[in-house]
Amino acid sequence: MKFLLNKYLMNLNRGKIKYLVIEEHIKKLIDKSNIKDGEKLPSIRKLAQFLGVNNITIVNAYKRLQSEGYALQKMGSGTYAKKRDINRNLNREYSRVLKKIFSSEIRCYIDFTGETSSGEFFQINLFKDVLNEVLDRDGSSALIYQEPLGYEGLRKSISDIFWNNSVNAENILIVSGAQQGIDVVSKSILNTNDTVIVEKPTYSGALSVFKSRKAEIVEIPVEKNGVDVDKIEKILQKNNVKCFYTMSYFQNPSGISYNDDKKRRILRLAEIYDFYIIEDDYLSELIYDSNIKYNSFKSLDQCDRVIYIKSFSKIFLPGIRIGYLIPPRKFRENIQNSKINTDIATSSLMQRALDLYIRKGMWKDYISELNVKYKDIYIYTEMCISKYLGDKVDFIKPGGGLHFYLRIKENIQIDSISLFREAIGRGVLITPGSLYYKNPLEGKRYFKIGFSHVNKEDIENGIKILNELMI
């Protein structure tokens, strides 16, 4: 039969509910384009006879396909395959799977989806002492008093410790993590149909925000040391671009970092063509390669063209949800007002605790310790990838951060979406690359492995399982 529906399908899946087996098989055929979008499915009677099941079984299978967006019934004509919006549906599927697993079953899985540092390395007793000191010092003010721009002490600490007082504390805005920072900035500066340049691939959360603002999104492929600057200039010559969103260190997901030459060239273009750079400074604290030097776009900015966003949640405790942004003077008031309209203020107690933690030197000690521990895990993960997947994937060595981005070689049949689904059945969680592209089909050969929440034994076992699945 044209649709590759094997009449031995039921025999191969004894013990399973028949209509679910048929539904899953047809879904796979549609996802792989063996059944084309809009192609008519076999009639209920014809398919039932071919598979040796009753008509009700096929009716139930087709109903489920319709409910999940894989089929469309036309009255008097039949049932037709429907190609889903891969990115939207994959996002939902990915989120649904992780929510279910993280709520009750995560201990049963090897989790390569982590994007934050592990709480296992955090010295919680030290932080408890800091919290108690803040409560003793500030009393109820620590819980009640709110400052719309953020706790003044924390803003001064950020200015002093992280920027050597080169940034005025009054120009620092505390936000609830990088995601809120991107959202606040977008609401402040983007209008419908404004053009935004992003890296390809890029952080899916940023793509979602820009889409919600109905912006025109233009992708520029990332190279070894950042995006192709010549391609950016060609776009700038033909389009009125509002901003360029970038992750300057260990980009999510590609893992690349910009060299200073590309940063300076992009900053010059921003001045010439009058656009702004939204810099999401992602995990730049975790540098393992001594050849990588830290200079943010913001630190090199001489013309006030960078909107700098930094999250403490990725590297610190995700649950505290604290980050900050530094806006250009032109947008300062708009961005501050947008933040206030979003949630009035970020947790006062946690801001005060983080401020004291930084002032006491604990932050510096914690980051130093984290670098030592994660460098060791990074090296081990790289070794396992090379050993077990070396003939099946290509990858760059990011030299820092908490993940690797792998490209499945052309001679391997499985794509990353199928690998994601099959790996779940073997107790392994990965992130398919399709989530990071405007056109998800461009990411089907890529997947991300994060090593922040996995011990060495599980890293090796998980990569061995992926090797077995990649045929």
Side-chain angles (χ1 to χ4, degrees):
M1 183 174 277
K2 181 180 179 182
F3 295 95
L4 308 179
L5 288 165
N6 194 318
K7 63 182 177 180
Y8 299 109
L9 189 65
M10 312 317 300
N11 291 332
L12 293 172
N13 292 276
R14 284 178 179 170
K16 295 184 180 180
I17 300 173
K18 292 179 180 180
Y19 71 82
L20 294 178
V21 174
I22 296 168
E23 177 219 359
E24 287 299 322
H25 190 65
I26 294 177
K27 281 165 63 176
K28 287 180 181 178
L29 295 177
I30 294 173
D31 285 335
K32 294 177 180 179
S33 295
N34 295 126
I35 298 177
K36 305 299 183 184
D37 185 32
E39 191 168 353
K40 188 175 182 179
L41 299 179
S43 70
I44 291 170
R45 181 181 58 81
K46 190 174 182 179
L47 186 55
Q49 288 178 347
F50 183 77
L51 293 176
V53 298
N54 61 47
N55 288 358
I56 297 299
T57 298
I58 305 302
V59 169
N60 288 335
Y62 279 7
K63 281 183 177 179
R64 283 185 61 86
L65 288 169
Q66 291 173 52
S67 69
E68 295 190 28
Y70 275 94
L72 178 68
Q73 187 179 38
K74 298 181 181 180
M75 294 300 294
S77 178
T79 303
Y80 292 79
K82 184 180 178 183
K83 194 74 173 178
R84 302 186 308 165
D85 179 337
I86 296 175
N87 202 40
R88 183 178 64 184
N89 287 288
L90 180 61
N91 265 298
R92 289 176 180 172
E93 179 183 355
Y94 181 75
S95 298
R96 186 172 64 249
V97 167
L98 293 195
K99 283 178 183 176
K100 178 184 177 183
I101 290 171
F102 276 86
S103 65
S104 60
E105 305 171 18
I106 189 59
R107 295 179 187 275
C108 303
Y109 287 82
I110 297 172
D111 179 19
F112 287 133
T113 66
E115 296 188 345
T116 61
S117 60
S118 173
E120 179 182 327
F121 299 142
F122 188 71
Q123 294 178 313
I124 193 66
N125 288 331
L126 287 179
F127 195 67
K128 283 170 63 178
D129 291 341
V130 169
L131 281 169
N132 288 331
E133 186 172 341
V134 167
L135 290 169
D136 289 341
R137 183 192 69 193
D138 299 344
S140 61
S141 295
L143 300 170
I144 299 172
Y145 186 64
Q146 304 285 350
E147 298 177 59
L149 302 185
Y151 176 55
E152 184 180 9
L154 177 58
R155 288 187 284 120
K156 287 182 177 178
S157 289
I158 290 170
S159 172
D160 181 22
I161 306 299
F162 299 134
W163 292 94
N164 198 25
N165 291 313
S166 62
V167 175
N168 192 313
E170 293 300 313
N171 199 31
I172 294 171
L173 175 66
I174 304 300
V175 292
S176 300
Q179 182 68 33
Q180 187 187 61
I182 297 167
D183 185 60
V184 164
V185 168
S186 296
K187 288 176 180 177
S188 305
I189 71 173
L190 288 179
N191 297 309
T192 299
N193 297 325
D194 279 346
T195 300
V196 179
I197 297 177
V198 301
E199 298 153 337
K200 184 169 74 171
T202 193
Y203 171 49
S204 57
L207 280 178
S208 296
V209 169
F210 299 143
K211 287 178 181 178
S212 73
R213 298 298 299 167
K214 294 181 171 56
E216 293 292 331
I217 300 172
V218 178
E219 297 174 302
I220 303 290
V222 292
E223 301 175 333
K224 184 178 180 181
N225 297 311
V227 296
D228 186 327
V229 181
D230 292 332
K231 286 186 178 179
I232 285 186
E233 185 159 20
K234 288 179 181 177
I235 291 169
L236 293 168
Q237 289 168 350
K238 298 179 181 179
N239 299 274
N240 182 20
V241 173
K242 196 65 167 285
C243 61
F244 166 52
Y245 171 75
T246 179
M247 305 179 86
S248 46
Y249 283 87
F250 316 122
Q251 194 252 11
N252 185 10
S254 72
I256 66 96
S257 298
Y258 282 73
N259 60 26
D260 284 356
D261 177 63
K262 285 201 172 183
K263 290 174 192 165
R264 290 191 174 96
R265 288 179 64 192
I266 293 171
L267 283 164
R268 283 197 295 271
L269 290 178
E271 179 65 13
I272 294 168
Y273 292 97
D274 190 25
F275 69 93
Y276 288 82
I277 299 165
I278 303 175
E279 180 179 19
D280 186 350
D281 189 357
Y282 177 75
L283 293 179
S284 60
E285 296 88 350
L286 298 179
I287 298 177
Y288 317 131
D289 184 343
S290 59
N291 293 315
I292 299 176
K293 306 300 180 184
Y294 179 70
N295 280 308
S296 63
F297 275 94
K298 183 64 181 177
S299 67
L300 300 173
D301 181 18
Q302 300 296 314
C303 299
D304 207 23
R305 286 282 160 180
V306 176
I307 304 168
Y308 178 87
I309 301 173
K310 181 67 184 176
S311 173
F312 291 107
S313 303
K314 296 292 184 185
I315 197 72
F316 201 49
L317 286 178
I320 70 169
R321 304 305 305 158
I322 294 178
Y324 69 95
L325 65 83
I326 305 172
R329 287 183 295 275
K330 180 178 179 179
F331 299 118
R332 183 187 306 169
E333 186 174 351
N334 282 350
I335 289 175
Q336 289 174 349
N337 289 338
S338 179
K339 167 60 169 69
I340 293 168
N341 290 335
T342 298
D343 67 357
I344 302 178
T346 303
S347 168
S348 177
L349 175 60
M350 286 303 173
Q351 287 186 68
R352 291 164 188 256
L354 180 58
D355 168 48
L356 189 57
Y357 190 87
I358 293 169
R359 286 287 180 189
K360 284 177 169 285
M362 295 178 181
W363 171 267
K364 184 178 179 180
D365 292 343
Y366 171 66
I367 295 300
S368 296
E369 184 178 354
L370 218 55
N371 267 274
V372 172
K373 290 178 177 177
Y374 274 128
K375 182 177 181 179
D376 179 51
I377 299 173
Y378 165 86
I379 292 170
Y380 187 80
T381 305
E382 179 193 325
M383 182 273 292
C384 288
I385 293 172
S386 298
K387 181 178 179 180
Y388 298 109
L389 300 178
D391 61 339
K392 297 180 178 180
V393 302
D394 296 314
F395 68 100
I396 66 163
K397 300 176 182 179
L402 295 172
H403 71 267
F404 288 87
Y405 195 54
L406 314 180
R407 187 186 71 85
I408 302 170
K409 292 184 177 180
E410 299 303 326
N411 62 313
I412 305 301
Q413 294 181 2
I414 196 168
D415 62 47
S416 66
I417 297 175
S418 299
L419 182 63
F420 161 68
R421 291 169 178 157
E422 293 189 20
I424 292 170
R426 296 287 302 276
V428 177
L429 303 176
I430 62 168
T431 306
S434 293
L435 297 173
Y436 302 102
Y437 294 78
K438 191 170 72 168
N439 176 6
L441 294 177
E442 295 188 65
K444 289 188 73 173
R445 305 300 297 178
Y446 296 86
F447 66 98
K448 188 172 77 170
I449 286 181
F451 53 83
S452 61
H453 294 171
V454 200
N455 60 41
K456 287 184 176 180
E457 180 181 358
D458 282 345
I459 288 171
E460 183 169 21
N461 289 336
I463 292 175
K464 281 182 178 179
I465 290 171
L466 294 177
N467 175 51
E468 294 170 7
L469 295 173
M470 294 175 68
I471 56 174

